[in-house]
Amino acid sequence: MTPHLRRVLVLLLLVLAPIPVAARPAWACSCATGFDPLEQAEVAFVGVADQVDPDWFGSEVEVEFSVESVLKGRPGDTVTLVTMKDSASCGYEFVEGGQYRVYASGGQTWSCDGNELLSAGHGGGDRTRTVFWGGTVFVLLVVAGGVTWLIRRS
């Protein structure tokens, strides 16, 4: 490999490596307005998100709540609901320990259902962000190692 070609490859790596880090999701979810969330829901309650478990290979998140008060329906002492992973897919981002007013139908809840954060949690369930930044650091280290290897071979 010629020194000129190596320099071009190094430059391409430096320019293209940050692209996955800088990319943002497209906002595809839009909600209707002017409706009463309590009327639309099968079940409504105030509760604490005890466990937020994303499906790492799918697009859903399963959230388990401890019910504090019932607004509609018969949810029981605990409720497990499914939502999408991100708001672009109309998912609602629940955080472990957070207290929410939740509106659900058919075992699912969405960002358009009128859910409300009443008090912030401790943030212990923010694994998605940790995985994202860990993956970003890993990619940058691999790119830096590749650049170093290419420069030393020049």
Side-chain angles (χ1 to χ4, degrees):
M1 188 180 303
T2 67
H4 178 68
L5 183 57
R6 283 192 189 115
R7 286 187 187 115
V8 169
L9 285 175
V10 168
L11 182 60
L12 277 173
L13 280 172
L14 290 173
V15 170
L16 296 178
I19 288 176
V21 176
R24 296 279 181 222
W27 296 102
C29 182
S30 62
C31 301
T33 58
F35 71 94
D36 180 8
L38 192 58
E39 274 185 33
Q40 299 288 335
E42 291 175 4
V43 174
F45 60 90
V46 172
V48 175
D50 291 328
Q51 199 168 358
V52 180
D53 289 323
D55 175 5
W56 293 107
F57 302 107
S59 59
E60 297 179 339
V61 176
E62 194 172 271
V63 186
E64 184 179 304
F65 295 92
S66 292
V67 176
E68 295 179 337
S69 63
V70 177
L71 305 172
K72 184 177 181 180
R74 295 179 180 219
D77 293 337
T78 62
V79 174
T80 301
L81 297 173
V82 173
T83 190
M84 299 306 284
K85 274 187 183 176
D86 56 49
S87 57
S89 299
C90 295
Y92 190 89
E93 188 176 342
F94 293 100
V95 175
E96 285 181 7
Q99 182 189 42
Y100 296 89
R101 183 175 297 119
V102 181
Y103 303 94
S105 296
Q108 299 178 329
T109 188
W110 311 99
S111 60
C112 297
D113 287 340
N115 300 318
E116 298 175 62
L117 173 65
L118 301 177
S119 66
H122 56 75
D126 205 3
R127 293 179 243 164
T128 303
R129 188 168 287 127
T130 302
V131 169
F132 170 79
W133 285 112
T136 299
V137 168
F138 175 75
V139 167
L140 290 175
L141 287 173
V142 168
V143 169
V147 168
T148 303
W149 179 77
L150 283 172
I151 290 172
R152 287 189 178 177
R153 291 206 64 209
S154 297

